[in-house]
């Protein structure tokens, strides 16, 4: 049972028998360090695993739980499987398919390496199986989330009136782009005081992973299914009604706005994604939340979440090496410190460090957008996102980063790069008010760096992008500028990129 499979109804358990079988759960160094995960993420997972092991024992399972500081701990999944085989002499292993390619390959290899049958069973927590996604993708020139999402709506019956979408439209995104202002009242996410199990884990993580990114305390994540359900109840009641309207907004001192902060629970198995969506639909049907909110939220889960997973398994293992623009710049140091004069980036990185959380628009339009415009190596960007967020597992993080955010797959996942100048951030946030840079200035030392970098990115990658019909308007605008103006943009961009390379903030 892997750390992101913490569901009592998981397929591996459905295929097992509590009288004769043993559940094996292991805390291993390799999983915490193959990228150096945020301290809060490691603590969340170890504590959730320990609580889950206790729940299984309470339900009559025998659990072999290997703690990280067990002197015999082999340090890796493969090493621990080998030890368990020697200890228990099983005639087969049953595992729900791991979420990540790397771990799936390791589990596959166990069969030959240890001469024991390895039964990898489908992960039925997802709505769309690999086979179904492949069938949907076969023969399509382009894979687009919107069409896939409609299939998932039909399949689940969520927000459907017969064979038509509720409200007559599949997607209410156009209504979901209001800028927030600080006068709104934002509910804070559900928080839990650490119990003794969590306290033990916090001490372990503080000792063993002191050099990892991120603040360990205050630690407030839920670590059981009951906690996750309380977090869901709270979200449905207090945040979902406004989720749609302000989905794309950002505010300087508001880390969560009306976002659910449920991804860490869903991805670890503490919440079932379909049930979460059914609860959101129920709130809409009862008249407690508007349709644009329920639809927007459900789309993220049965649309985007399932879609990115489909792309991951369709395109791996080569996907991780894609680099459409051939970018090579190292990730700026301020992604680890937050020490930058750009207010939006500072806020996104600082809260990432504090909470192992940033919401979607911060990930996409601030940290992601900047890395894209600055030409950062997409693999370095990927490894950063995988390390720093409590909800990050490669199957969901990689397509979001490499595909959606960095366009490094050349348009497999999205139809155009999510590249934007400072104007987007200005429209959707209040960061520019406190920024040392001026978003209204287009070039020069005080200009918002997103402005010149945006045009430089377009011009630098003209051969790759100008044939894209969705980019045509931007190239027309650029081509209409005087040569002088264009040169000013490019000179400003060069100065910024040179400063970045020198480690400037
Ligand atoms: P909400 O805004 O409340 O959304 C509700 C739920 O929808 C989320 O809990 C999540 O389960 C799902 N969801 C929303 N957007 C996406 C999406 N694009 N892909 C998959 N699920 C989605 N999400 C992860 O779960 N893990 C990651 O490692 C991850 N990495 C990302 C990296 C980048 C560069 C980008 C742009 C996005 C990434 N996302 C990732 C998607 C999204 O940003 C997070 O799911 C979301 O911010 C989690 O916060 P929340 O629970 O408050 O989400
Ligand atoms: C992320 C993670 C970490 C940090 N540690 C463990 C661990 O010690 N034991 C475990 O079973 N799982 C851990 N995980 C989650 C795994 O990395 C995850 O299950 C795989 O990447 C498959 O998605």
């Amino acid at each position: 049972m892997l750390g992101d499979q913490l569901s009592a109804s998981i397929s591996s358990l459905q295929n097992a028998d509590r009288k004769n079988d043993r559940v094996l759960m292991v805390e291993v160094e390799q999983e915490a360090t193959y990228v150096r995960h945020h301290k809060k993420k490691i603590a969340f997972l170890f504590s959730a695993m320990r609580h889950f092991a206790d729940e299984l024992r309470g339900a009559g399972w025998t659990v072999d739980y290997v703690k990280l500081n067990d002197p015999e701990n082999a340090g890796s999944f493969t090493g621990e499987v080998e030890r368990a085989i020697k200890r228990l002499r099983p005639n087969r292993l049953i595992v729900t398919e791991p979420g990540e390619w790397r771990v799936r390959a390791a589990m596959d290899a166990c069969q030959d390496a240890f001469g024991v049958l390895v039964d990898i069973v489908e992960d039925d927590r997802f709505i769309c199986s690999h086979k179904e996604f492949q069938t949907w993708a076969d023969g399509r020139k382009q894979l687009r989330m919107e069409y896939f999402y409609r299939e998932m709506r039909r399949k689940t019956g969520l927000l459907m009136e017969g064979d038509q979408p509720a409200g007559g439209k599949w997607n209410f995104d156009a209504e979901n782009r209001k800028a927030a202002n600080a006068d709104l009242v934002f509910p804070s996410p559900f928080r839990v005081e650490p119990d003794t199990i969590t306290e033990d884990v916090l001490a372990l993580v503080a000792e063993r992973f002191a050099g990892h990114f991120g603040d360990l305390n205050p630690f407030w994540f839920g670590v059981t299914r009951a906690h996750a359900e309380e977090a869901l109840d709270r979200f449905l009641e207090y945040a979902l009604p406004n989720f749609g309207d302000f989905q794309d907004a950002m505010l300087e001192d508001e880390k969560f706005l009306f976002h659910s902060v449920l991804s860490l629970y869903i991805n670890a198995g503490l919440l079932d994604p379909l049930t979460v969506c059914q609860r959101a639909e129920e709130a809409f049907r009862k008249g407690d939340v508007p349709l644009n909110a329920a639809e927007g939220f459900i789309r993220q889960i049965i649309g985007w979440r399932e879609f990115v997973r489909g792309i991951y398994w369709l395109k791996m293992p080569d996907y991780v090496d894609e680099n459409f623009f051939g970018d090579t710049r190292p990730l700026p140091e301020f992604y680890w410190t937050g020490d930058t004069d750009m207010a939006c980036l500072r806020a996104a990185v600082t809260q990432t460090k504090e909470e192992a959380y940033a919401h979607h628009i911060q990930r996409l339009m601030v940290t992601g957008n900047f890395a894209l415009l600055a030409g950062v190596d997409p693999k370095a960007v990927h490894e950063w996102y995988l390390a720093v967020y409590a909800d990050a597992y490669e199957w969901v993080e990689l397509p979001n980063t490499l595909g959606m955010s960095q366009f490094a797959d050349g348009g497999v996942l999205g139809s155009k790069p999510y590249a934007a100048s400072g104007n987007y951030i200005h429209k959707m946030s209040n960061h520019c008010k406190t920024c040392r840079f001026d978003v209204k200035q287009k070039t020069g030392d005080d200009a918002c760096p997103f402005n010149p970098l945006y045009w430089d990115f377009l011009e630098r990658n003209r051969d790759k992008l100008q044939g894209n019909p969705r980019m045509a308007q931007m190239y027309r605008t650029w081509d209409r500028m005087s040569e002088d103006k264009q040169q000013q943009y490019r000179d400003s961009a060069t100065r910024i990129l040179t400063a970045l390379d020198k480690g400037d903030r």
Side-chain angles (χ1 to χ4, degrees):
M1 176 88 63
L2 305 178
D4 56 355
Q5 299 184 341
L6 309 181
S7 322
S9 58
I10 192 95
S11 55
S12 50
L13 290 186
Q14 288 169 28
N15 283 272
D17 145 28
R18 65 190 86 192
K19 274 206 215 96
N20 297 309
D21 293 331
R22 290 280 181 103
V23 178
L24 175 66
M25 297 179 73
V26 297
E27 295 171 6
V28 286
E29 175 98 12
Q30 192 177 55
E31 289 309 297
T33 54
Y34 72 97
V35 293
R36 287 157 60 88
H37 292 297
H38 194 298
K39 294 188 202 80
K40 272 203 169 84
K41 175 181 183 180
I42 303 173
F44 162 64
L45 224 59
F46 284 6
S47 179
M49 286 172 65
R50 291 182 186 192
H51 282 91
F52 185 69
D54 283 349
E55 277 175 34
L56 288 179
R57 289 186 186 110
W61 293 95
T62 306
V63 182
D64 269 29
Y65 192 99
V66 181
K67 290 187 176 169
L68 189 82
N69 49 5
D70 182 329
E72 307 284 309
N73 192 317
S76 69
F77 283 145
T78 310
E80 276 305 310
V81 166
E82 184 177 18
R83 265 191 350 117
I85 289 172
K86 286 192 181 132
R87 192 165 69 241
L88 303 168
R89 305 239 154 260
N91 53 26
R92 71 178 172 139
L93 304 180
I94 309 172
V95 63
T96 290
E97 183 187 57
E100 299 193 355
W101 177 274
R102 172 185 66 84
V103 183
R104 159 105 219 197
M107 293 294 155
D108 280 335
C110 284
Q111 180 148 321
D112 285 345
F114 308 129
V116 64
L117 190 70
V118 179
D119 200 354
I120 298 185
V121 288
E122 191 169 324
D123 190 343
D124 58 12
R125 293 172 299 170
F126 291 92
I127 293 154
C128 184
S129 67
H130 298 327
K131 195 156 171 275
E132 203 179 340
F133 192 84
Q134 194 141 25
T135 308
W136 175 80
D138 269 354
R140 277 173 198 264
K141 272 218 314 257
Q142 289 185 321
L143 307 179
R144 291 295 166 255
M145 191 286 294
E146 183 60 31
Y147 299 108
F148 170 79
Y149 165 56
R150 292 177 192 180
E151 291 299 311
M152 294 300 103
R153 288 275 293 277
R154 291 191 186 97
K155 180 173 180 184
T156 57
L158 285 162
L159 296 177
M160 296 296 291
E161 308 288 356
D163 60 356
Q164 292 304 307
K169 278 202 304 191
W170 292 102
N171 183 321
F172 289 81
D173 215 17
E175 292 170 33
N176 291 359
R177 294 187 188 134
K178 294 200 179 100
N181 65 63
D183 297 338
L184 286 160
V185 178
F186 299 100
S188 63
F190 177 73
R191 287 162 200 261
V192 180
E193 282 293 315
D195 62 6
T196 51
I197 293 180
T198 301
E199 291 291 2
D200 281 352
V201 165
L202 291 173
L204 177 73
V205 172
E207 188 205 325
R208 290 286 293 270
F209 304 106
H212 284 214
F213 174 76
D215 300 349
L216 185 56
N217 291 300
F219 184 89
W220 52 267
F221 292 148
V223 288
T224 65
R225 170 167 300 261
H227 293 156
E229 281 172 357
E230 278 190 73
L232 171 63
D233 289 345
R234 187 179 166 90
F235 165 69
L236 292 171
E237 185 168 353
Y238 298 110
L240 181 60
N242 283 312
F243 175 87
D245 286 357
F246 302 107
Q247 201 177 331
D248 289 2
M250 292 177 279
L251 280 177
E252 186 74 12
D253 295 316
E254 289 296 335
K255 297 173 181 170
F256 309 103
L257 294 104
F258 297 108
H259 291 277
S260 67
V261 198
L262 292 177
S263 51
L264 79 165
Y265 304 129
I266 300 174
N267 294 348
L270 296 180
L271 286 176
D272 172 56
L274 182 58
T275 311
V276 168
C277 292
Q278 286 163 341
R279 293 283 310 279
E281 173 173 30
E282 190 182 288
F284 158 67
R285 300 271 181 212
K286 284 202 314 219
D288 295 342
V289 308
L291 181 55
N292 71 312
E295 187 282 316
F297 179 73
I298 288 171
R299 174 163 24 90
Q300 305 312 313
I301 297 182
I302 66 167
W304 280 114
R305 187 172 184 272
E306 295 283 332
F307 182 67
V308 298
R309 177 182 185 252
I311 298 272
Y312 178 79
W313 284 99
L314 200 65
K315 298 292 175 187
M316 280 297 277
D318 300 336
Y319 198 66
V320 70
D321 294 317
E322 300 224 1
N323 189 350
F324 181 62
F325 297 121
D327 286 330
T328 55
R329 177 161 280 108
L331 191 75
E333 183 56 22
F334 57 68
Y335 275 71
W336 298 108
T337 59
D339 189 14
T340 164
D341 286 337
M342 286 172 278
C344 54
L345 267 161
R346 187 172 59 236
V349 174
T350 304
Q351 79 165 72
T352 298
K353 192 164 153 288
E354 289 168 355
E355 311 289 4
Y357 177 86
H359 62 74
H360 186 66
I361 293 301
Q362 294 177 301
R363 296 187 205 196
L364 187 63
M365 300 312 295
V366 178
T367 42
N369 186 21
F370 188 82
L372 172 71
L373 300 186
V376 178
D377 174 358
K379 199 176 254 178
V381 184
H382 148 59
E383 286 173 357
W384 183 79
Y385 279 98
L386 185 56
V388 302
Y389 291 114
D391 59 18
Y393 301 89
E394 195 181 72
W395 66 266
V396 52
E397 175 280 324
L398 181 68
N400 267 301
T401 303
L402 199 111
M404 187 189 300
S405 159
Q406 301 301 295
F407 206 70
D409 63 4
V412 172
L413 187 134
S415 55
K416 75 175 186 56
Y418 279 93
S421 69
N423 194 37
Y424 176 88
I425 293 163
H426 183 48
K427 228 172 53 200
M428 298 312 301
S429 80
N430 61 359
H431 291 306
C432 304
K433 278 191 191 154
T434 53
C435 189
R436 165 239 177 287
F437 296 104
D438 181 355
V439 69
K440 299 283 181 210
Q441 290 197 38
K442 305 296 180 201
T443 57
D445 289 347
D446 291 331
C448 166
F450 281 93
N451 291 337
L453 287 179
Y454 174 73
W455 291 112
D456 189 62
F457 163 78
L458 286 189
E459 186 52 18
R460 209 168 65 223
N461 295 301
R462 185 183 267 271
D463 60 327
K464 301 262 171 50
L465 293 175
Q466 80 170 348
N468 181 330
R470 298 199 62 198
M471 304 299 288
Q473 174 61 41
M474 299 326 295
Y475 280 103
R476 276 198 294 275
T477 306
W478 171 255
D479 290 340
R480 275 200 303 269
M481 286 180 205
S482 68
E483 270 183 35
D484 241 23
K485 185 82 203 158
Q486 290 182 345
Q487 198 53 51
Q488 284 169 29
Y489 272 121
R490 300 218 65 188
D491 289 347
S492 278
T494 304
R495 278 200 300 279
I496 292 164
L497 294 175
T498 309
L500 263 190
D501 292 341
K502 285 196 202 130
D504 202 318
R505 49 187 282 145

